[in-house]
Amino acid sequence: MVRKITSLGGYIHEYQKSVENPKAFWEQQAEDFYWRKKWDNALEWNFEEPSVNWFVNGKLNITENIFERNMFLRKNQTAIIWEPNKPDEESITLTYEELFRKVNQFANALIKIGIEKGDRVIIYMPMIPELAIAMLACARIGAIHSIVFAGFSANSLEERINDTQAKLVITSDEAFRGNKIIQIKNIVDEALVDCPCVKNVVVVKRTSGKINMKDGRDVWWHDVIKGLSEENESVEMDSEDTLFILYTSGSTGKPKGIVHSIGGYMVYSAYTFKNVFQYSDNDVFFCTADIGWITGHSYIIYGPLLCGAKTLMFEGIPTYPDAGRLWEIVDKYKVNQIYTAPTAIRSLITYGESYLENKDLSSLKVLGTVGEPINEEAWHWYHDHIGKGNCPIVDTWWQTETGGISISSLAGIIPTKPSFATLPLPGFQPVILDNNGNELSGRNVEGNLCVKFPWPGMLRTIYGDHKRCKETYFSKFKAYYFTGDGVKRDEDGYYRLLGRVDDVIIVSGHNLGTAEIENAINEHPLVHESAVVGYSHEIKGQGIYAFVVCSELSTGGEEGIRKSVIKGVTKIIGPIAKPDKVQIVKELPKTRSGKIMRRILRKIADDDFTNFGDTSTLLDPELVEIIIKGRVK
Ligand code: WT7
């Protein structure tokens, strides 16, 4: 099993080792896994191209490391606990052996359908056990999964299907989400109108709602697995073969298909899981994220299952049937570690503490957060009311691109400080650069968060666009990976994340590119142009503020445009990207050279009218006053 750090001294020692000799450090971690053939060289890299190869020529299958490797000790131990949306529906527990059989059987179904090593498979599903089974079955046969969060629109789904050129989509008839039923198969049908690459759709029956099954293309999950063997010989993969593609927003319009490879991701997700959460055998781990995001990939599925953990998968939402649901689940399964987002905590705070009454939370040992900086109020509430003052909080900083937790306290080992992610994981080497690329060493410095050495979990490329990978992450600061985040190192050497320095906003812990939202708004027939910025939002962390210029007003007037703009974004991207505020403006503040002055719009959106900085390059300085007057409160 992956080595666990158990003391602060141990952390300091490991960290030093990992920096002095990163190759030897990661080789030692990788030794704990099952490789069909050992690597020739632990690492070959350069950040110019960039080209990063971990465990070069090593051969393995990640599912062999989850199943065959764990089977000896954990055959009859719980692997996945599944809690349904409705509390009175029966939950499901799958042992390692049961899960293994189901993965094998579905792997055999994939083979029958004609999916081969290297093929891409899109998974668009609610949080049901078949989602976990589907992704692991892909990995078993060497197919590349690309999971699309089921809250995304048909448009966004179509874009991702076409970008990956997937042959197969796996979905369900409908999805339960709180008191809503979402017609997800219909969304898939709509997306597939323009996806000639897709030959088949596998559909899980979840709600039994009425849906259309297209002859020759669509098959039911329960039909396709019928009579298939529960044994399957896994496909031998190279350490650097792609495990999955996961899309994330960027500062330009098109989402980026982040590519993760097998060997490095395996070692990194398992190592960080075990150490950050201090997982011990038989603990029950509950990550509340959706598997459609990287958090769910790394900390519901891969990290925990590689470590032989008991991982909880929850289909529903924290406020259904009421705001006590998460705590009810903690009580029901005696959860030991819970991992959620600051936005969820802030939202639950508004419902008050009555939802905590009669909930036994004494099993909890560790509380985790991810997605954005956790503000002090939320931190203290989490600490006092959920952890009862006894549980360390791990504020985990990382990204879809980093593959696993990168800066974080290790629970109970690295002393915490509210709103600080604290210190880097062993093997992760952050640096702070000023805007000219100078490294700011020492304490009390602030600048751009970069990384100077590869770590195994890092992205390898952007699918189909290596040039964009280089430009986005490896060009702004030569020979460094650039995270896009601002950061401060304080007098104790602790890291405090300061938010994005580019045009990406973090809304309810989700990463959204403002350009992508603008593109969606601009599709509106009456919209001439638009600018989207983030503003501080009490619950969501950041809210979405859209400034919109219209060529004319529709019969519904400004209110009509506002509504249809919001509707349009929901349709094109999905509800997560829906603007909170839409202001119709005559013009956007631009420089003489035609560049929108977002800095000013950000301040207006934040109700901060002081210090607009240098406005001398503005084409029409009077415009600013007009926009301020018309702002949406
Ligand atoms: C961006 C990455 C990694 C899973 C969830 C989001 C922000 C993430 C923290 C944190 C401050 C954080 C950063 C980062 N972020 N965690 N603990 N403190 N900021 O993944 O969608 O790829 O977003 O989320 O700005 O760059 P993602």
Side-chain angles (χ1 to χ4, degrees):
M1 285 294 121
V2 176
R3 235 160 306 257
K4 193 153 110 183
I5 296 168
T6 55
S7 66
L8 187 57
Y11 163 75
I12 292 167
H13 178 70
E14 285 277 284
Y15 193 80
Q16 262 165 7
K17 266 198 340 198
S18 80
V19 171
E20 279 159 17
N21 192 345
K23 277 194 190 187
F25 172 79
W26 286 114
E27 283 193 282
Q28 201 183 26
Q29 309 308 327
E31 296 279 0
D32 289 322
F33 293 88
Y34 172 62
W35 298 80
R36 290 206 195 170
K37 179 185 161 288
K38 223 183 132 173
W39 54 90
D40 299 332
N41 188 0
L43 172 67
E44 286 168 6
W45 69 289
N46 75 69
F47 274 179
E48 257 87 77
E49 274 181 60
S51 159
V52 174
N53 297 287
W54 278 97
F55 313 114
V56 181
N57 288 328
K59 305 289 176 197
L60 76 165
N61 186 291
I62 195 166
T63 69
E64 250 174 43
N65 280 281
I66 291 174
F67 297 116
E68 280 89 340
R69 177 166 147 274
N70 279 321
M71 211 42 65
F72 201 58
L73 285 172
R74 302 175 206 279
K75 208 170 161 160
N76 300 317
Q77 185 211 289
T78 299
I80 293 181
I81 301 166
W82 177 74
E83 168 75 5
N85 181 58
K86 286 198 194 76
D88 51 8
E89 195 185 327
E90 221 171 303
S91 61
I92 293 175
T93 330
L94 294 171
T95 64
Y96 273 83
E97 189 182 20
E98 288 163 343
L99 180 62
F100 186 29
R101 288 178 180 281
K102 288 182 187 295
V103 168
N104 284 336
Q105 191 176 43
F106 194 66
N108 289 329
L110 291 175
I111 294 168
K112 187 169 95 178
I113 292 167
I115 303 302
E116 292 170 4
K117 177 172 174 173
D119 285 346
R120 277 80 57 213
V121 174
I122 292 276
I123 301 178
Y124 185 75
M125 274 170 114
M127 286 281 285
I128 53 179
E130 288 83 352
L131 166 53
I133 295 164
M135 67 196 286
L136 294 169
C138 286
R140 185 89 184 155
I141 66 162
I144 298 167
H145 59 71
S146 186
I147 304 179
V148 179
F149 171 60
F152 275 113
S153 67
N155 247 287
S156 299
L157 177 60
E158 179 205 313
E159 191 175 13
R160 286 157 175 75
I161 292 171
N162 281 324
D163 196 57
T164 56
Q165 285 293 299
K167 272 194 196 164
L168 175 69
V169 176
I170 306 173
T171 189
S172 69
D173 49 0
E174 297 176 311
F176 291 121
R177 211 176 142 70
N179 53 21
K180 289 195 203 126
I181 292 185
I182 299 155
Q183 259 84 48
I184 76 165
K185 173 61 165 59
N186 283 352
I187 299 174
V188 171
D189 288 342
E190 199 185 324
L192 289 186
V193 172
D194 285 317
C195 301
C197 52
V198 173
K199 303 290 176 253
N200 292 102
V201 180
V202 173
V203 188
V204 177
K205 192 170 245 162
R206 173 67 186 110
T207 67
S208 300
K210 230 184 103 50
I211 57 161
N212 289 322
M213 293 290 281
K214 192 172 164 185
D215 250 2
R217 187 194 70 183
D218 303 350
V219 294
W220 288 105
W221 176 291
H222 55 262
D223 285 336
V224 78
I225 60 170
K226 217 172 264 165
L228 295 184
S229 158
E230 292 181 340
E231 278 168 34
N232 170 280
E233 187 59 42
S234 71
V235 171
E236 181 168 297
M237 304 297 288
D238 188 87
S239 174
E240 279 301 333
D241 282 336
T242 298
L243 177 61
F244 64 83
I245 304 167
L246 183 61
Y247 285 83
T248 186
S249 300
S251 31
T252 59
K254 206 171 162 266
K256 300 172 285 194
I258 302 300
V259 171
H260 283 287
S261 59
I262 302 168
Y265 177 83
M266 172 180 79
V267 173
Y268 199 70
S269 60
Y271 179 79
T272 52
F273 170 71
K274 189 131 210 192
N275 280 291
V276 171
F277 299 104
Q278 289 289 300
Y279 184 87
S280 304
D281 269 356
N282 287 313
D283 283 349
V284 175
F285 183 79
F286 178 20
C287 166
T288 71
D290 191 285
I291 294 178
W293 309 112
I294 189 72
T295 308
H297 281 60
S298 302
Y299 300 109
I300 297 177
I301 302 297
Y302 288 112
L305 294 179
L306 284 161
C307 291
K310 298 180 182 171
T311 180
L312 206 153
M313 189 177 166
F314 172 41
E315 184 185 31
I317 54 172
T319 49
Y320 177 81
D322 64 42
R325 187 66 190 278
L326 295 184
W327 322 125
E328 188 186 305
I329 295 173
V330 169
D331 188 352
K332 180 171 173 188
Y333 299 104
K334 304 294 166 227
V335 167
N336 302 106
Q337 293 92 359
I338 186 168
Y339 190 28
T340 192
T343 181
I345 299 166
R346 286 193 300 266
S347 147
L348 294 177
I349 293 176
T350 65
Y351 290 88
E353 275 97 61
S354 65
Y355 292 98
L356 293 168
E357 282 162 19
N358 309 319
K359 309 272 172 17
D360 177 8
L361 304 182
S362 62
S363 56
L364 285 173
K365 296 192 283 192
V366 177
L367 312 176
T369 76
V370 61
E372 56 178 314
I374 175 163
N375 51 307
E376 295 215 16
E377 191 200 349
W379 196 97
H380 286 292
W381 190 86
Y382 203 25
H383 186 260
D384 299 345
H385 293 286
I386 306 305
K388 316 288 180 200
N390 296 320
C391 303
I393 292 181
V394 288
D395 174 355
T396 66
W397 177 90
W398 58 297
Q399 308 178 293
T400 305
E401 295 86 341
T402 69
I405 296 168
S406 310
I407 303 181
S408 170
S409 148
L410 308 183
I413 289 173
I414 296 178
T416 57
K417 216 195 244 192
S419 75
F420 283 78
T422 74
L423 297 173
L425 268 280
F428 190 81
Q429 301 190 36
V431 289
I432 302 181
L433 302 184
D434 68 15
N435 287 335
N436 301 319
N438 302 311
E439 215 174 297
L440 303 174
S441 51
R443 308 279 161 105
N444 281 317
V445 290
E446 191 178 310
N448 302 291
L449 176 59
C450 294
V451 190
K452 70 172 176 198
F453 197 87
W455 64 103
M458 71 184 291
L459 82 163
R460 300 301 194 264
T461 187
I462 291 175
Y463 192 73
D465 199 348
H466 195 62
K467 193 165 148 253
R468 187 170 177 205
C469 173
K470 181 182 168 127
E471 276 162 12
T472 313
Y473 305 108
F474 298 91
S475 298
K476 184 152 187 198
F477 303 104
K478 279 255 153 346
Y480 293 94
Y481 166 79
F482 174 44
T483 63
D485 280 7
V487 73
K488 177 187 163 130
R489 197 189 295 118
D490 79 347
E491 61 280 0
D492 298 323
Y494 271 27
Y495 290 85
R496 176 182 196 151
L497 277 300
L498 304 171
R500 302 287 309 182
V501 297
D502 55 10
D503 290 323
V504 170
I505 52 181
I506 310 276
V507 180
S508 297
H510 300 143
N511 188 326
L512 293 168
T514 52
E516 197 181 345
I517 304 174
E518 287 163 9
N519 291 347
I521 294 176
N522 298 345
E523 299 254 318
H524 190 291
L526 298 179
V527 169
H528 179 57
E529 61 173 345
S530 62
V532 168
V533 298
Y535 68 95
S536 2
H537 186 290
E538 244 179 67
I539 308 286
K540 299 181 178 182
Q542 279 192 296
I544 303 173
Y545 196 123
F547 296 90
V548 176
V549 182
C550 297
S551 42
E552 58 182 291
L553 292 182
S554 65
T555 44
E558 292 208 2
E559 201 41 44
I561 297 251
R562 243 181 235 130
K563 283 202 181 119
S564 55
V565 159
I566 292 173
K567 219 171 128 195
V569 175
T570 309
K571 177 142 181 36
I572 295 170
I573 307 177
I576 50 169
K578 181 161 88 180
D580 299 277
K581 298 181 179 180
V582 178
Q583 180 178 355
I584 314 290
V585 293
K586 251 182 64 204
E587 269 173 77
L588 296 171
K590 288 186 182 166
T591 61
R592 285 162 208 282
S593 59
K595 207 166 179 279
I596 299 170
M597 272 211 172
R598 288 170 185 282
R599 176 165 54 84
I600 290 177
L601 294 176
R602 272 187 217 115
K603 294 206 125 198
I604 296 176
D606 250 334
D607 271 343
D608 171 5
F609 311 126
T610 54
N611 268 328
F612 277 127
D614 180 15
T615 51
S616 61
T617 56
L618 268 184
L619 192 61
D620 178 5
E622 276 164 29
L623 197 59
V624 176
E625 277 308 312
I626 300 174
I627 298 179
I628 292 179
K629 280 211 191 87
R631 76 191 182 277
V632 181
K633 291 186 191 132

